[in-house]
Amino acid sequence: MTWLQALVLGLVQGLTEFLPVSSSAHLRIVSSVFFGDDAGASFTAVTQLGTEAAVLVYFAKDIWRIIVAWFTTLTEKISARSREMVPITDQVTTKLPIVTAGGPVPYGLDEDRQRELDYRIGWYVIIATIPIGVIGFVLKDQIRTGARNLWLVSFMLIAFALVIAAAEHYGTKRRSIEQLTNRDGLVMGFAQCLALIPGVSRSGATSSAGLFLGLEREAAVRFSFLLAIPAVTASGLFSLPDAFEPAGEGLNASGPQLLVATIVSFVVGYASVAWLLKFVSKHSFNWFVGYRIVLGLVIMGLLAGGVVSAT
């Protein structure tokens, strides 16, 4: 891999990771069409660490609040159970202090309701991460090989565009993020597993599931971002050995090139997060549906014409 290729692919990763267009598909397409070979699943997984770092920075206050609420409330619930065996006269009745970042409480909730919501979201993220962790580990070899076939990638770009369009059409978009339930977390968690196939899109799959469940568009996108953090971070760290010690054919990046590509994806990804959240508050995902269909058809045309190789 050349330095130009590393920079371009890092830019592509940052631009497309959070949009419902599949960053893995775009890295696969760009590396094959413009550079003549595949950058590989490990390169994709590691550069995603940059975009996930952007999510961590952008949602730092929310994430910290959720972590504090989860540990504080869990400790409180455990303590409450242990006090059931203690005589009533010996029980501690003062409430645990609520830790806040200061300033107005988001979503218009009082501090107790906000902490309970953050506690529930923490559990939803944990539970929803289990399916992709198990399936991703079991199918890791297929993900790095057969799933990267460009015929499959182009087909999934088109097929899942129709899923996104259906979610926009049939989703009621009436439920706010305060109304998230355990069922929502599980359904969106299983939907995230579809993103293991390049061309689906992690944000597209989880956000569409949220829309089908009746969530507001922005609520679905916000939870989608939070849900991706554990899975993408684990995938990137798991792929580090393969990425820094590449073997076999393909565009093999050196350690410095991979680092620079990840930094580029972080910077561009941060801007992409901010833009998408503002965009979905006023516009539908249908803007991306047409793009996905056109791109999928173009790639199929290039494959049929022998311009690029499917593998």
Side-chain angles (χ1 to χ4, degrees):
M1 183 177 293
T2 67
W3 277 102
L4 176 61
Q5 291 169 343
L7 290 171
V8 170
L9 293 175
L11 178 65
V12 171
Q13 168 62 29
L15 284 173
T16 59
E17 171 65 21
F18 305 113
L19 306 182
V21 297
S22 180
S23 63
S24 57
H26 278 72
L27 286 175
R28 177 71 179 91
I29 291 168
V30 170
S31 60
S32 291
V33 173
F34 295 100
F35 305 140
D37 215 331
D38 186 7
S42 294
F43 179 90
T44 301
V46 174
T47 53
Q48 283 178 334
L49 290 174
T51 46
E52 286 312 303
V55 171
L56 289 172
V57 173
Y58 191 88
F59 291 105
K61 290 183 178 180
D62 290 341
I63 293 169
W64 175 248
R65 197 183 63 243
I66 290 170
I67 292 173
V68 170
W70 189 85
F71 279 105
T72 303
T73 306
L74 183 63
T75 301
E76 186 179 50
K77 291 180 181 293
I78 293 174
S79 298
R81 290 177 181 176
S82 65
R83 287 199 301 269
E84 290 179 358
M85 301 302 295
V86 178
I88 189 67
T89 54
D90 296 334
Q91 290 185 18
V92 178
T93 57
T94 55
K95 297 177 65 175
L96 290 177
I98 298 174
V99 181
T100 64
V105 179
Y107 316 123
L109 302 179
D110 58 48
E111 291 183 345
D112 284 342
R113 290 177 61 200
Q114 180 65 57
R115 185 177 68 166
E116 180 61 27
L117 171 63
D118 293 334
Y119 172 72
R120 288 191 289 110
I121 289 178
W123 271 119
Y124 299 158
V125 170
I126 293 172
I127 294 171
T129 301
I130 296 174
I132 196 171
V134 174
I135 296 175
F137 180 78
V138 173
L139 301 179
K140 61 182 182 297
D141 293 332
Q142 289 81 357
I143 294 169
R144 296 179 178 181
T145 54
R148 299 185 67 78
N149 185 290
L150 278 178
W151 279 111
L152 176 62
V153 171
S154 56
F155 172 79
M156 294 308 298
L157 280 170
I158 297 172
F160 214 81
L162 302 179
V163 174
I164 295 173
E168 273 288 352
H169 180 73
Y170 293 106
T172 60
K173 307 177 193 68
R174 294 176 180 174
R175 298 171 55 218
S176 65
I177 198 166
E178 298 99 310
Q179 296 172 296
L180 276 172
T181 66
N182 191 44
R183 184 193 67 161
D184 299 330
L186 279 173
V187 172
M188 294 177 74
F190 278 103
Q192 184 177 214
C193 297
L194 297 174
L196 295 171
I197 306 173
V200 171
S201 168
R202 186 185 307 274
S203 63
T206 51
S207 297
S208 293
L211 293 180
F212 277 123
L213 291 166
L215 291 175
E216 295 173 345
R217 195 180 297 111
E218 189 174 1
V221 171
R222 279 182 174 271
F223 185 70
S224 172
F225 286 165
L226 295 174
L227 179 58
I229 293 173
V232 174
T233 302
S235 174
L237 295 176
F238 182 79
S239 300
L240 275 174
D242 294 331
F244 278 102
E245 295 181 7
E249 300 178 354
L251 296 173
N252 293 327
S254 65
Q257 288 173 334
L258 193 58
L259 178 61
V260 170
T262 304
I263 293 174
V264 170
S265 72
F266 165 77
V267 175
V268 179
Y270 186 89
S272 180
V273 172
W275 178 83
L276 182 61
L277 286 174
K278 291 181 180 179
F279 182 85
V280 299
S281 65
K282 299 179 180 179
H283 304 86
S284 76
F285 282 132
N286 287 329
W287 287 88
F288 303 104
V289 171
Y291 169 79
R292 290 177 61 106
I293 293 174
V294 170
L295 179 61
L297 291 174
V298 168
I299 299 305
M300 284 184 174
L302 295 176
L303 289 168
V307 178
V308 295
S309 171
T311 57

